[in-house]
Amino acid sequence: MTTFADLGLSQKVLSAVTDAGYTTPTPIQLGAIPHALQRRDICGIAQTGTGKTASFVLPMLTLLEKGRARARMPRTLILEPTRELAAQVAENFEKYGKNHKLNVALLIGGVSFEEQNRKLERGADVLICTPGRLLDHCERGKLLMTGVEILVIDEADRMLDMGFIPDIERIAKMIPFTRQTLFFSATMPPEIQKLADRFLQNPERVEVSLPSSTATTVTQRLVAAHNKDYEKRATLRDLIKEQEDLKNAIIFCNRKKDVADLFRSLERHGFSVGALHGDMDQRSRTTMLQSFRDGEIQLLVASDVAARGLDLPDVGHVFNFDVPIHAEDYVHRIGRTGRAGRSGKAFTLVTRSDAKYLDAIEKLIDKTIEWLRGDLSELPAPMESHDSDRGRKGRGQAKDRSRDKDRGRGKRSESAPKPEQAAEIETAEEVAVEASQEQNGPERRNERRSQPTARASRPNPANDDSRDRRSRHRRDHDDGPTPIGFGDDIPAFMLIVANAGKA
Ligand code: AMP
């Protein structure tokens, strides 16, 4: 069995890896590290959660042991699509680089230029940036990129989604041709392949296949649930209360609106809960995630898109409030528990309309998931539910297209969402727009938004969705059915108080 010591890493790095408690390199680390140490370009196809970050951080640390930084001339540059990912990479440098005396500068929006300038003045061995902030520094004449020996482009497919490719091309032109480039992407659609061909020279291709199996240490159960949201929420609450060993849990919803609704409902019922969805700004998401990691909140309600790319901690329980429409998402969700041989539990609420998605999941993982008690046949026949109608009305056409675009790139199951089911599912683009606004810092962000957003010091996911805000007064008692008639789609003009104009 290959160990870290066989990969050619320096003693300082090996000692930090041992301290981190890692014994065996992951497949992406096995594939990438030896080639990176030989100064080869790498084209890595791997997702977050595969140990991808260490696969570039560990060889970089080893290579950086020779030479030292000069003021304003960084030696290496890592580009990340979001502040949050950039901050996670910086944390990795701290952890694995604890035996090195390297200057690491994190250039992301939301932090003052002055503070970042001071770091650059001292000379940075490693620069970790989001593209917008890096270009801002370059435009201010504060950075010289001619000393960069290693360029890392991480999460290239997300960069593409977020419209950062022109920025990356500009940045790459500033860096000497002789550099080493390490390029990572979770998927390799043709447009990303073209990029890789442009940025890389004779790269070593390392591919980590998408997981299609769930850990044997995870107990998976299905729970029959009614179609109506309020009944489903009651089923979930009962299920949570039944778990005697519940330490912490992630609850996944397919739609970001359901994330906000479920969060509010659980909070009202006295659960210790937080939420992650794409309408939250980066700062709120990071703070929320940290509270969950620190055990300040026990339950975290999340959508797949908001959870993707985040280094979520290992959890004891996963609850699927909705059956995921894409079977691979099931594997990713379940993968949040039962890591490293630990035991975990995963419960999926299934309604009558979920049958074909469940089939696709069982086909992908090649096993039949047991029902906790009873099955769908014990539920009364579904009534035409206005809850499920809600997503079909009006909204979502554009989102469907972008979702399809997003989904089309990866390897996906046969059960692609029908337009009405895809309506309101959170899209990567929606997250991207928010993140790119964040990314461009307060100055540019305010140019784009006609009204600056107020920021609460403690994130409140329920406050982030303006649609939710509009309807919140009607949904304060959301444990009962929503009003029949217009339901949640009451036109705005009908909400205007009749005598408002007379005052
Ligand atoms: P990443 O894909 O870089 O986000 O890493 C996912 C998680 O795996 C992080 O929490 C890392 O600390 C952890 N990790 C990375 N490499 C290893 C390894 N060789 N053994 C065990 N855990 C690891």
Side-chain angles (χ1 to χ4, degrees), residues 4 22-26 29 47-54 88 92 95-96 311 339:
F4 278 104
Y22 306 159
T23 48
T24 326
T26 65
Q29 291 163 0
Q47 295 188 325
T48 301
T50 55
K52 171 181 60 115
T53 319
Q88 273 179 27
N92 272 262
K95 180 157 86 178
Y96 307 130
D311 184 14
R339 288 193 196 170

Side-chain angles (χ1 to χ4, degrees), residues 133-192:
R133 183 49 76 104
L134 175 69
L135 285 173
D136 284 344
H137 275 279
C138 292
E139 280 160 16
R140 288 168 180 227
K142 299 289 182 188
L143 261 175
L144 213 62
M145 306 301 285
T146 47
V148 173
E149 298 157 32
I150 305 174
L151 168 67
V152 179
I153 301 170
D154 196 16
E155 305 260 336
D157 49 357
R158 264 180 103 181
M159 298 274 202
L160 179 81
D161 282 342
M162 295 168 77
F164 288 152
I165 299 303
D167 284 354
I168 292 175
E169 284 180 336
R170 276 181 65 200
I171 294 166
K173 276 191 195 135
M174 297 182 214
I175 303 174
F177 188 63
T178 49
R179 66 172 191 253
Q180 178 184 13
T181 308
L182 313 176
F183 182 98
F184 293 89
S185 188
T187 55
M188 246 324 152
E191 58 267 58
I192 295 290

Side-chain angles (χ1 to χ4, degrees), residues 397-410:
Q397 292 303 313
K399 291 178 190 175
D400 295 345
R401 276 199 307 278
S402 54
R403 174 72 170 188
D404 287 346
K405 202 173 95 203
D406 179 44
R407 289 298 185 186
R409 277 197 292 275

Side-chain angles (χ1 to χ4, degrees), residues 70 72-76 124-125 127 143-145 147-149:
R70 282 182 284 166
R72 308 213 162 276
M73 288 183 72
R75 299 169 66 198
T76 61
D125 296 285
L127 209 55
L143 261 175
L144 213 62
M145 306 301 285
V148 173
E149 298 157 32

